[in-house]
Amino acid sequence: MASHQLLRASTSIFRNTATAAFKLLKNPALSRRASTTTSPIQTDALNALNPAQNNSITKITTLSNGIRVTSENTPGHFSAIGVYLDAGSRYETPRTMGVSHLVDRLAFKGTKNRTIEQMQTELESLGGNIMSASSRETIMYQSAIFYQDLPRLLDILADVIRNPLITQEEVIEQQQTAIYELSEIWQKPDMILPELLHTVAYKDNTLGNPMLCPESKLAEMTPELIKEYIATWYRPERIVVAAAGAPHGEIVALTEKFFGDMPKSPDFNAHTFKSSVLGVLNPTKHTSKPSLYKTITTAATSFLSQGSTLQPVPISHGGQKSHYTGGTLYLEQPTLPHTHVYVALEGLPIHDPDIYALATLQILLGGGGSFSAGGPGKDSGLFGIFASCRPEYNHAVADVIAQQFDHVASPGRYGVTEEELNRAKNQLMSSLLMNLESRMVQLEDLGRQVQVHGFKVPVEVMCQKIREVTLEDLLRVAQRVVRGQVVNEGKGTGLPTIVAQGQLKNLQDVKKVCERYDIGKSTKLKWLR
């Protein structure tokens, strides 16, 4: 399990994507154009954690236009490379709502340099695993291929990102495909309900923007609008190029070749990142030769060329904080054989030092792929429980969910035991380490960590933080979340978010049940005693 996916595969934390887990990554000729970020992990602190694992494999270089290049040259049969953009549905406006979904679907089509047929032929000749994906906070293009094909692949990725044609015919084709896709997803509660949960939890803002283009907006998706969105958000300071299984200097040189002429944005500033998630981090920047991270081995002004006439739209809402509102949504659908109920509260952002305790709590509340999954976003996230039952048990399901919340947030008889805590911590650490053995997971973890943090958090540091979680930490964090006491930058309401679908007859008023168990902040007046 990758570190950016620390809160993955469990009953308790819903990712700010619709369907997947958070899902809770010396070239002298370039020295004038690039600067290098040294490892933010202080040597003494790392040695104290695990002296035997004081390896130096993660490198990060920032080109003069703001593009960050990161790599880990770990051994393996394949290499992997990806481009990660700080874009996605959270940055959409009412006018551009749904564009990210279409951008993803239009990837690897025709470009200024390749026809669709040429693109498909080249991709097939490369083999490997080539994909694109969009989420609420990231649009990514990545692949695992043979090492010798890295230059060809990055050439293709740069062409797809910087020079897409986006013809009217392509847009119409993807609009039709999206209609079918939406109809299919609406028939699958495990896919549509997490999406609706975010829409309710962050009403009319950021993480509440739909990841899938609403059918009512599809007709408004024109080539011009899509190109405008790309020109606005595909800027060099919002791009991370990550590679695994390749020399860093070579990746920097290739990135310089294919992306180096992207002009720096007028409002570009040096990247700044929070470091409270570790406490020992102190990122610094240098203009000397690339230095390395201490970690273990397993672990657009415009997208067009400088001659383009398409101008980016000034970013006026890129820094908007996610405002958690809470709310309820009941969808009566008698044809479903089960009743599905989601109850969520505002969780913690990825930078919060309590994220390790919350990840452990997630494992305690279930873990495994049979539950909805997820993880934190950059400045907010959802923590919740999902239950499905036959309609004859509707009268009990809300109480079952509320009791689970209440037990983990209450000391005493029904609270978490030391044995349960240790078991959860071991499960979390083993999941983390085993998932990082996948080349593609390693790559995405590297790219998205650098995108979010600005550095790679060593897996041994994360494991040490997990080991340090105590029962007192767990109870404190559970009370903070369950009782609606989380205060993130968006100043959320603390109210519960409730979404239910299916045969809802005899389903209790879930909001009143939550109030009875003190789940989230109550809208009722509580008299002082």
Side-chain angles (χ1 to χ4, degrees), residues 10-326:
S10 168
T11 180
S12 56
I13 301 178
F14 302 105
R15 170 87 164 99
N16 53 7
T17 68
T19 62
F22 182 38
K23 356 171 326 289
L24 204 170
L25 319 196
K26 300 173 191 170
N27 190 332
L30 301 179
S31 62
R32 296 185 302 276
R33 297 181 61 96
S35 63
T36 299
T37 305
T38 63
S39 168
I41 306 300
Q42 296 176 0
T43 303
D44 292 343
L46 185 63
N47 288 341
L49 292 177
N50 194 342
Q53 297 293 346
N54 187 11
N55 300 310
S56 299
I57 61 168
T58 305
K59 298 183 179 183
I60 302 177
T61 296
T62 302
L63 303 186
S64 61
N65 61 1
I67 291 179
R68 285 160 288 169
V69 184
T70 181
S71 69
E72 291 181 345
N73 192 11
T74 51
H77 296 294
F78 287 87
S79 297
I81 194 164
V83 181
Y84 303 86
L85 296 110
D86 188 8
S89 62
R90 76 163 291 162
Y91 301 111
E92 293 171 354
T93 64
R95 177 171 171 267
T96 61
M97 186 174 295
V99 171
S100 300
H101 182 199
L102 269 294
V103 168
D104 173 24
R105 298 205 59 86
L106 287 164
F108 303 109
K109 305 296 183 184
T111 71
K112 291 184 176 180
N113 302 310
R114 294 172 172 89
T115 65
I116 295 180
E117 293 75 17
Q118 289 173 330
M119 178 70 70
Q120 295 304 316
T121 299
E122 284 196 59
L123 293 177
E124 289 172 2
S125 70
L126 287 172
N129 177 10
I130 303 172
M131 55 85 70
S132 66
S134 64
S135 67
R136 299 189 189 279
E137 298 181 320
T138 303
I139 296 177
M140 68 181 77
Y141 306 80
Q142 60 185 22
S143 175
I145 56 168
F146 290 114
Y147 165 75
Q148 63 267 23
D149 292 323
L150 283 176
R152 290 177 61 199
L153 177 62
L154 194 57
D155 181 15
I156 291 174
L157 294 182
D159 199 22
V160 167
I161 291 168
R162 302 186 62 187
N163 305 304
L165 285 181
I166 311 183
T167 65
Q168 184 67 39
E169 292 74 17
E170 290 174 346
V171 172
I172 291 174
E173 179 184 353
Q174 296 310 316
Q175 286 172 335
Q176 295 170 344
T177 304
I179 291 174
Y180 173 78
E181 183 181 27
L182 289 168
S183 66
E184 286 292 300
I185 289 175
W186 270 100
Q187 303 304 314
K188 300 175 181 178
D190 60 323
M191 297 182 70
I192 193 61
L193 291 184
E195 171 75 1
L196 296 176
L197 191 75
H198 281 84
T199 301
V200 175
Y202 300 91
K203 183 175 173 56
D204 298 330
N205 78 98
T206 58
L207 300 180
N209 293 340
M211 264 193 16
L212 305 173
C213 182
E215 190 168 347
S216 61
K217 298 287 291 184
L218 281 172
E220 301 176 25
M221 296 295 111
T222 64
E224 293 73 26
L225 182 63
I226 296 170
K227 290 177 182 179
E228 179 185 295
Y229 178 86
I230 292 175
T232 299
W233 295 103
Y234 282 37
R235 301 187 181 188
E237 71 275 14
R238 305 182 75 87
I239 294 176
V240 172
V241 176
H248 185 68
E250 180 177 336
I251 300 303
V252 171
L254 288 172
T255 304
E256 181 71 34
K257 177 180 178 180
F258 296 118
F259 291 93
D261 63 335
M262 291 182 73
K264 180 190 297 185
S265 297
D267 55 353
F268 169 71
N269 293 311
H271 302 286
T272 57
F273 304 92
K274 297 182 180 180
S275 57
S276 59
V277 68
L278 287 179
V280 300
L281 302 183
N282 183 25
T284 56
K285 298 198 74 173
H286 296 271
T287 55
S288 59
K289 64 181 181 180
S291 35
L292 314 175
Y293 277 133
K294 312 295 183 181
T295 185
I296 63 174
T297 57
T298 57
T301 291
S302 176
F303 72 106
L304 302 171
S305 61
Q306 295 199 32
S308 170
T309 58
L310 181 60
Q311 296 299 316
V313 175
I315 297 176
S316 60
H317 61 289
Q320 181 182 358
K321 305 303 179 185
S322 299
H323 174 62
Y324 174 86
T325 60

Side-chain angles (χ1 to χ4, degrees), residues 336-341 386-391 394 397 500-504 507:
L336 290 179
H338 294 89
T339 301
H340 307 278
V341 181
F386 159 54
S388 294
C389 67
R390 296 287 300 173
N394 281 2
V397 66
Q501 182 188 35
Q503 303 179 42
L504 303 184
L507 180 67

